[in-house]
Amino acid sequence: MNIGSLFIIAVSAIFINNFVLMKFLGICPFMGVSKKLDSALGMGGAVIFVMTIASAVTWLVQRYVLDKHGLDYLQTIVFIVVIASLVQFIEMFLQKSIPDLYKALGIFLPLITTNCAILGVTIMNITEKYSFIGAVVNGLSAGIGFTLALIMMAGIREKLDLADVPSAFKGVPITFITASLMSLAFMGFSGMKIG
Amino acid sequence: MTAALVLGLLGLLLGLALAMASKAFYVEKDARIEKVEAVLPQANCGACGYAGCAAFAEAVVKGEADINGCIPGGGDTASAIAGILGKKAGKTEKKVAIVHCHGPVSEMKNKFEYQGIADCNAAMLLHGGDSDCIYGCLGYYSCIEACPFDAIDVTEKGGVRVNEEKCVGCGACIEACPKHIIELKPASKQVDVLCSSKDKGADVMKICKVGCIGCKKCEKICPVDAIKVHDQLAVIDYGLCISCGKCAEVCPTHVIHDRLASRFAEGKRTPPVISSEKCIGCTLCAKSCPVQAISGAVKEIHEIDPGKCVSCGICVDKCPKDAILWDGN
């Protein structure tokens, strides 16, 4: 796998197949944690972190455990269990070894343990038949794409707070409309030919 | 069969790994942090300067924060924390917010018609707001929005007044006010200047009936030199003020507000009277009087000279026998 194809995987995961805006995965944190830029950054950091590590570990589990025994159909449940324990493990590790990072990611780490975006990226790694490096790059880029969408949304929502929104649209409705407009904008990337 | 085996083994392995990790990466947490957190008000107002009650609790236990750092909690919380940590709490005086403006918003001729967002900080962006007075309250109630304790009321003229019983002194309103006319003061002080205008008297009169015109009458009458006029504005030094309310009585524009005055008949303070039956002649009141208006020898009934007395009420609180009668209490 050369640099070029890794680049394609990255660009595709960040923009063309953005997890939130194109695949509609991870909508819950996208709506829930995008009120303030600070928390959006924390959440984004945690997602990048977990997606990258989960991609690596689940790829190994798939290749050396599931494929070996012909247990592909157990993929979903095994991945959920593996990701959940992995995040738990990382949390404990961070609290002991890198308390500063633990404080920065804080509550967001356990929050995203069972998020569909994480499971989605790990399963996508397998269905797209990525190599190990490819899977890790895909996980990292998917996390970056998620963070990008989250930060843009938080920026817009902070401005929306001050805007004169008709009362019927105040709060969640205008947020959904904003999200769909952002999604439309990202559709502009689809069909783009890279490489 | 293999499926059950693989899944079971995987679960067992992961479980074991987590169990081992929780031992290997065990972080010792001070049990006192939780106890301290439990006695905090849990308003997460941030008045202590930390991110929330939990962060403050941790800082207190580590010794980084003062025991009496929790302003809303006040003395009770401080002594509860002191009990947990085995330290002594310093004395904390309760502080409350005071808005230095009468806020006659409804009487102000507006510079222009503002149709933007009803928010002081937004209104401030347009030439410092639509109010004629560039110092005073804008009347879009950003402070009320910011107050976590619902302690700010709207006056009949559209201004704002802090409810001192509800106010805990967290300072959220101070942050929210773009005119910087709110500050914290000791809750025991009863007299305040409700104006922030530094304009000359004639200019103030043109736009506001209840503004400070800098006439210095208050400065002259103050028995303890606690009120001074700087830049055409009377400012009370709460450290010196004895809350006698003399300045409020002479103020021609009634910009100085005496909270105790309304408790008296006709809205004017009267000197306290010493009950000859209860007085034991301990001299405590005479010692506490800032203007030496109380006379009397030891073990004899004391007397207050109404001519000298400024009706501050300090002696009333000092008397151990509750022998001083006063409407202000």
Short mmCIF file of all heavy atoms in Angstrom, two decimals, chain A residues 14-59:
data_model
loop_
_atom_site.label_atom_id
_atom_site.label_comp_id
_atom_site.label_asym_id
_atom_site.label_seq_id
_atom_site.Cartn_x
_atom_site.Cartn_y
_atom_site.Cartn_z
N ILE A 14 -12.26 12.05 5.23
CA ILE A 14 -12.47 13.37 5.84
C ILE A 14 -13.58 14.12 5.12
O ILE A 14 -14.50 14.65 5.75
CB ILE A 14 -11.17 14.20 5.82
CG1 ILE A 14 -10.11 13.55 6.70
CG2 ILE A 14 -11.44 15.62 6.32
CD1 ILE A 14 -8.77 14.21 6.64
N PHE A 15 -13.51 14.16 3.78
CA PHE A 15 -14.45 15.02 3.05
C PHE A 15 -15.55 14.23 2.33
O PHE A 15 -16.74 14.42 2.58
CB PHE A 15 -13.69 15.87 2.03
CG PHE A 15 -12.75 16.84 2.67
CD1 PHE A 15 -11.39 16.65 2.60
CD2 PHE A 15 -13.24 17.94 3.35
CE1 PHE A 15 -10.51 17.54 3.20
CE2 PHE A 15 -12.38 18.84 3.95
CZ PHE A 15 -11.01 18.64 3.87
N ILE A 16 -15.13 13.34 1.43
CA ILE A 16 -16.12 12.75 0.52
C ILE A 16 -17.10 11.86 1.27
O ILE A 16 -18.31 11.90 1.04
CB ILE A 16 -15.40 11.99 -0.60
CG1 ILE A 16 -14.46 12.96 -1.32
CG2 ILE A 16 -16.41 11.41 -1.57
CD1 ILE A 16 -13.52 12.32 -2.27
N ASN A 17 -16.57 11.03 2.15
CA ASN A 17 -17.45 10.17 2.92
C ASN A 17 -17.46 10.58 4.38
O ASN A 17 -17.38 9.73 5.27
CB ASN A 17 -17.03 8.71 2.79
CG ASN A 17 -17.32 8.18 1.41
OD1 ASN A 17 -18.37 8.46 0.84
ND2 ASN A 17 -16.38 7.43 0.85
N ASN A 18 -17.55 11.87 4.61
CA ASN A 18 -17.55 12.36 5.99
C ASN A 18 -18.57 11.58 6.82
O ASN A 18 -19.72 11.44 6.44
CB ASN A 18 -17.90 13.85 6.01
CG ASN A 18 -17.76 14.45 7.38
OD1 ASN A 18 -18.49 14.09 8.28
ND2 ASN A 18 -16.80 15.34 7.55
N PHE A 19 -18.11 11.08 7.98
CA PHE A 19 -18.96 10.16 8.74
C PHE A 19 -20.26 10.79 9.19
O PHE A 19 -21.30 10.15 9.17
CB PHE A 19 -18.18 9.61 9.94
CG PHE A 19 -17.63 8.26 9.66
CD1 PHE A 19 -16.60 8.12 8.76
CD2 PHE A 19 -18.19 7.14 10.24
CE1 PHE A 19 -16.11 6.87 8.44
CE2 PHE A 19 -17.70 5.89 9.93
CZ PHE A 19 -16.67 5.75 9.04
N VAL A 20 -20.20 12.04 9.60
CA VAL A 20 -21.42 12.66 10.10
C VAL A 20 -22.29 13.14 8.96
O VAL A 20 -23.48 12.82 8.88
CB VAL A 20 -21.06 13.85 11.02
CG1 VAL A 20 -22.32 14.48 11.56
CG2 VAL A 20 -20.16 13.40 12.14
N LEU A 21 -21.69 13.88 8.06
CA LEU A 21 -22.49 14.61 7.08
C LEU A 21 -22.86 13.78 5.85
O LEU A 21 -23.80 14.12 5.14
CB LEU A 21 -21.75 15.88 6.66
CG LEU A 21 -21.52 16.85 7.81
CD1 LEU A 21 -20.62 18.00 7.40
CD2 LEU A 21 -22.84 17.39 8.34
N MET A 22 -22.12 12.70 5.58
CA MET A 22 -22.46 11.89 4.41
C MET A 22 -22.98 10.51 4.78
O MET A 22 -23.83 9.96 4.12
CB MET A 22 -21.24 11.76 3.48
CG MET A 22 -20.84 13.05 2.83
SD MET A 22 -22.18 13.82 1.89
CE MET A 22 -22.32 12.66 0.54
N LYS A 23 -22.44 9.93 5.83
CA LYS A 23 -22.88 8.59 6.22
C LYS A 23 -23.89 8.64 7.35
O LYS A 23 -24.47 7.61 7.71
CB LYS A 23 -21.67 7.75 6.67
CG LYS A 23 -20.77 7.33 5.53
CD LYS A 23 -19.71 6.39 6.05
CE LYS A 23 -18.69 6.04 5.00
NZ LYS A 23 -19.18 5.11 3.99
N PHE A 24 -24.07 9.80 7.94
CA PHE A 24 -25.04 10.00 9.03
C PHE A 24 -24.79 9.06 10.20
O PHE A 24 -25.70 8.48 10.75
CB PHE A 24 -26.47 9.89 8.52
CG PHE A 24 -26.72 10.77 7.35
CD1 PHE A 24 -27.08 10.27 6.12
CD2 PHE A 24 -26.53 12.14 7.48
CE1 PHE A 24 -27.28 11.10 5.03
CE2 PHE A 24 -26.73 12.98 6.41
CZ PHE A 24 -27.10 12.46 5.17
N LEU A 25 -23.52 8.88 10.52
CA LEU A 25 -23.17 8.10 11.72
C LEU A 25 -22.69 9.09 12.78
O LEU A 25 -22.10 10.12 12.46
CB LEU A 25 -22.05 7.11 11.41
CG LEU A 25 -22.45 5.94 10.49
CD1 LEU A 25 -21.21 5.17 10.08
CD2 LEU A 25 -23.43 5.03 11.18
N GLY A 26 -22.95 8.76 14.04
CA GLY A 26 -22.49 9.64 15.13
C GLY A 26 -23.27 10.94 15.20
O GLY A 26 -22.72 11.97 15.55
N ILE A 27 -24.54 10.89 14.84
CA ILE A 27 -25.37 12.10 14.88
C ILE A 27 -25.60 12.56 16.33
O ILE A 27 -25.70 13.74 16.61
CB ILE A 27 -26.74 11.82 14.20
CG1 ILE A 27 -26.52 11.50 12.73
CG2 ILE A 27 -27.66 13.01 14.34
CD1 ILE A 27 -26.03 12.63 11.90
N CYS A 28 -25.67 11.58 17.23
CA CYS A 28 -25.96 11.93 18.63
C CYS A 28 -24.93 12.90 19.22
O CYS A 28 -25.28 13.97 19.67
CB CYS A 28 -26.08 10.67 19.48
SG CYS A 28 -26.11 11.01 21.23
N PRO A 29 -23.63 12.56 19.19
CA PRO A 29 -22.67 13.54 19.71
C PRO A 29 -22.62 14.79 18.85
O PRO A 29 -22.35 15.89 19.34
CB PRO A 29 -21.34 12.81 19.68
CG PRO A 29 -21.53 11.65 18.79
CD PRO A 29 -22.96 11.30 18.85
N PHE A 30 -22.88 14.64 17.54
CA PHE A 30 -22.86 15.78 16.64
C PHE A 30 -23.88 16.83 17.06
O PHE A 30 -23.62 18.03 17.04
CB PHE A 30 -23.17 15.29 15.21
CG PHE A 30 -23.18 16.38 14.18
CD1 PHE A 30 -22.05 17.13 13.93
CD2 PHE A 30 -24.32 16.64 13.44
CE1 PHE A 30 -22.06 18.13 12.96
CE2 PHE A 30 -24.34 17.62 12.48
CZ PHE A 30 -23.20 18.37 12.24
N MET A 31 -25.05 16.37 17.50
CA MET A 31 -26.08 17.30 17.96
C MET A 31 -25.86 17.67 19.43
O MET A 31 -26.10 18.79 19.84
CB MET A 31 -27.48 16.65 17.84
CG MET A 31 -27.95 16.54 16.43
SD MET A 31 -28.20 18.17 15.77
CE MET A 31 -28.12 17.83 14.03
N GLY A 32 -25.40 16.68 20.20
CA GLY A 32 -25.35 16.88 21.65
C GLY A 32 -24.19 17.73 22.13
O GLY A 32 -24.32 18.50 23.06
N VAL A 33 -23.04 17.59 21.50
CA VAL A 33 -21.83 18.22 22.05
C VAL A 33 -21.35 19.37 21.18
O VAL A 33 -20.21 19.78 21.26
CB VAL A 33 -20.72 17.17 22.25
CG1 VAL A 33 -19.77 17.62 23.36
CG2 VAL A 33 -21.29 15.82 22.60
N SER A 34 -22.22 19.87 20.30
CA SER A 34 -21.76 20.93 19.41
C SER A 34 -22.25 22.31 19.85
O SER A 34 -22.28 23.24 19.08
CB SER A 34 -22.21 20.65 17.98
OG SER A 34 -23.60 20.56 17.92
N LYS A 35 -22.63 22.42 21.12
CA LYS A 35 -23.13 23.73 21.57
C LYS A 35 -22.00 24.71 21.80
O LYS A 35 -22.14 25.88 21.56
CB LYS A 35 -23.92 23.57 22.87
CG LYS A 35 -25.41 23.43 22.61
CD LYS A 35 -26.19 23.66 23.88
CE LYS A 35 -27.67 23.56 23.62
NZ LYS A 35 -28.39 22.90 24.68
N LYS A 36 -20.88 24.18 22.28
CA LYS A 36 -19.75 25.08 22.57
C LYS A 36 -18.50 24.56 21.90
O LYS A 36 -18.27 23.35 21.83
CB LYS A 36 -19.52 25.15 24.08
CG LYS A 36 -20.52 26.04 24.76
CD LYS A 36 -19.96 26.54 26.08
CE LYS A 36 -20.87 27.60 26.66
NZ LYS A 36 -21.24 27.34 28.01
N LEU A 37 -17.68 25.48 21.46
CA LEU A 37 -16.47 25.11 20.73
C LEU A 37 -15.53 24.29 21.60
O LEU A 37 -14.93 23.31 21.14
CB LEU A 37 -15.77 26.38 20.24
CG LEU A 37 -14.94 26.26 18.97
CD1 LEU A 37 -15.76 25.63 17.86
CD2 LEU A 37 -14.43 27.62 18.54
N ASP A 38 -15.43 24.65 22.87
CA ASP A 38 -14.52 23.94 23.78
C ASP A 38 -14.85 22.46 23.87
O ASP A 38 -14.00 21.60 23.69
CB ASP A 38 -14.60 24.52 25.20
CG ASP A 38 -14.08 25.93 25.25
OD1 ASP A 38 -13.56 26.35 24.20
OD2 ASP A 38 -14.21 26.58 26.28
N SER A 39 -16.14 22.18 24.15
CA SER A 39 -16.52 20.79 24.32
C SER A 39 -16.47 20.06 22.98
O SER A 39 -16.18 18.86 22.93
CB SER A 39 -17.90 20.67 24.97
OG SER A 39 -18.79 21.56 24.41
N ALA A 40 -16.72 20.78 21.88
CA ALA A 40 -16.62 20.16 20.56
C ALA A 40 -15.19 19.70 20.30
O ALA A 40 -14.94 18.60 19.79
CB ALA A 40 -17.06 21.13 19.47
N LEU A 41 -14.23 20.54 20.71
CA LEU A 41 -12.82 20.18 20.54
C LEU A 41 -12.48 18.95 21.38
O LEU A 41 -11.81 18.03 20.92
CB LEU A 41 -11.92 21.35 20.94
CG LEU A 41 -11.72 22.42 19.87
CD1 LEU A 41 -11.03 23.63 20.47
CD2 LEU A 41 -10.91 21.86 18.72
N GLY A 42 -12.95 18.92 22.62
CA GLY A 42 -12.69 17.77 23.50
C GLY A 42 -13.26 16.50 22.93
O GLY A 42 -12.59 15.46 22.87
N MET A 43 -14.51 16.60 22.48
CA MET A 43 -15.17 15.43 21.91
C MET A 43 -14.44 14.97 20.67
O MET A 43 -14.20 13.78 20.47
CB MET A 43 -16.62 15.81 21.56
CG MET A 43 -17.44 14.65 21.09
SD MET A 43 -17.75 13.56 22.49
CE MET A 43 -18.71 12.31 21.72
N GLY A 44 -14.10 15.92 19.80
CA GLY A 44 -13.40 15.58 18.56
C GLY A 44 -12.09 14.86 18.86
O GLY A 44 -11.78 13.83 18.25
N GLY A 45 -11.34 15.37 19.83
CA GLY A 45 -10.08 14.75 20.20
C GLY A 45 -10.29 13.32 20.66
O GLY A 45 -9.56 12.40 20.24
N ALA A 46 -11.32 13.12 21.49
CA ALA A 46 -11.59 11.77 21.99
C ALA A 46 -11.96 10.83 20.85
O ALA A 46 -11.53 9.67 20.81
CB ALA A 46 -12.71 11.82 23.03
N VAL A 47 -12.76 11.34 19.90
CA VAL A 47 -13.19 10.47 18.78
C VAL A 47 -12.00 10.08 17.91
O VAL A 47 -11.85 8.91 17.54
CB VAL A 47 -14.28 11.19 17.95
CG1 VAL A 47 -14.53 10.43 16.66
CG2 VAL A 47 -15.56 11.31 18.74
N ILE A 48 -11.16 11.06 17.59
CA ILE A 48 -9.97 10.75 16.77
C ILE A 48 -9.15 9.66 17.46
O ILE A 48 -8.75 8.65 16.86
CB ILE A 48 -9.09 12.02 16.59
CG1 ILE A 48 -9.83 13.04 15.76
CG2 ILE A 48 -7.77 11.65 15.93
CD1 ILE A 48 -9.05 14.33 15.57
N PHE A 49 -8.93 9.85 18.74
CA PHE A 49 -8.13 8.94 19.55
C PHE A 49 -8.71 7.53 19.51
O PHE A 49 -8.03 6.56 19.17
CB PHE A 49 -8.15 9.49 20.97
CG PHE A 49 -7.09 8.95 21.86
CD1 PHE A 49 -5.78 9.35 21.69
CD2 PHE A 49 -7.40 8.07 22.87
CE1 PHE A 49 -4.80 8.86 22.51
CE2 PHE A 49 -6.43 7.57 23.71
CZ PHE A 49 -5.12 7.98 23.52
N VAL A 50 -9.99 7.43 19.86
CA VAL A 50 -10.61 6.11 19.97
C VAL A 50 -10.73 5.45 18.60
O VAL A 50 -10.47 4.24 18.45
CB VAL A 50 -11.99 6.22 20.65
CG1 VAL A 50 -12.71 4.88 20.59
CG2 VAL A 50 -11.83 6.66 22.08
N MET A 51 -11.13 6.21 17.57
CA MET A 51 -11.30 5.63 16.24
C MET A 51 -9.98 5.03 15.74
O MET A 51 -9.96 3.92 15.19
CB MET A 51 -11.77 6.70 15.25
CG MET A 51 -13.27 6.82 15.17
SD MET A 51 -13.71 7.93 13.85
CE MET A 51 -15.50 7.82 13.92
N THR A 52 -8.88 5.74 15.93
CA THR A 52 -7.60 5.26 15.45
C THR A 52 -7.22 3.96 16.14
O THR A 52 -6.88 2.96 15.49
CB THR A 52 -6.51 6.32 15.71
OG1 THR A 52 -7.00 7.58 15.31
CG2 THR A 52 -5.25 6.00 14.97
N ILE A 53 -7.28 3.96 17.45
CA ILE A 53 -6.87 2.77 18.19
C ILE A 53 -7.84 1.61 17.95
O ILE A 53 -7.41 0.46 17.75
CB ILE A 53 -6.75 3.11 19.69
CG1 ILE A 53 -5.62 4.12 19.86
CG2 ILE A 53 -6.49 1.87 20.51
CD1 ILE A 53 -5.42 4.57 21.24
N ALA A 54 -9.14 1.92 17.91
CA ALA A 54 -10.12 0.86 17.68
C ALA A 54 -9.92 0.23 16.30
O ALA A 54 -10.04 -0.98 16.13
CB ALA A 54 -11.54 1.41 17.82
N SER A 55 -9.60 1.06 15.30
CA SER A 55 -9.36 0.55 13.96
C SER A 55 -8.24 -0.48 13.98
O SER A 55 -8.35 -1.57 13.40
CB SER A 55 -8.97 1.69 13.01
OG SER A 55 -10.08 2.49 12.75
N ALA A 56 -7.15 -0.12 14.65
CA ALA A 56 -6.00 -1.02 14.69
C ALA A 56 -6.36 -2.33 15.39
O ALA A 56 -6.11 -3.42 14.86
CB ALA A 56 -4.85 -0.33 15.42
N VAL A 57 -6.97 -2.23 16.56
CA VAL A 57 -7.22 -3.44 17.35
C VAL A 57 -8.26 -4.34 16.69
O VAL A 57 -8.06 -5.56 16.57
CB VAL A 57 -7.67 -3.05 18.78
CG1 VAL A 57 -8.08 -4.29 19.56
CG2 VAL A 57 -6.53 -2.35 19.50
N THR A 58 -9.36 -3.74 16.20
CA THR A 58 -10.39 -4.60 15.60
C THR A 58 -9.89 -5.25 14.32
O THR A 58 -10.28 -6.36 13.99
CB THR A 58 -11.67 -3.80 15.30
OG1 THR A 58 -11.33 -2.65 14.54
CG2 THR A 58 -12.38 -3.39 16.57
N TRP A 59 -9.02 -4.56 13.60
CA TRP A 59 -8.48 -5.16 12.37
C TRP A 59 -7.70 -6.43 12.74
O TRP A 59 -7.84 -7.47 12.09
CB TRP A 59 -7.56 -4.16 11.66
CG TRP A 59 -7.16 -4.59 10.29
CD1 TRP A 59 -7.81 -4.31 9.13
CD2 TRP A 59 -6.02 -5.39 9.93
NE1 TRP A 59 -7.18 -4.88 8.07
CE2 TRP A 59 -6.07 -5.56 8.53
CE3 TRP A 59 -4.99 -5.98 10.65
CZ2 TRP A 59 -5.11 -6.29 7.83
CZ3 TRP A 59 -4.04 -6.71 9.95
CH2 TRP A 59 -4.10 -6.86 8.55
#
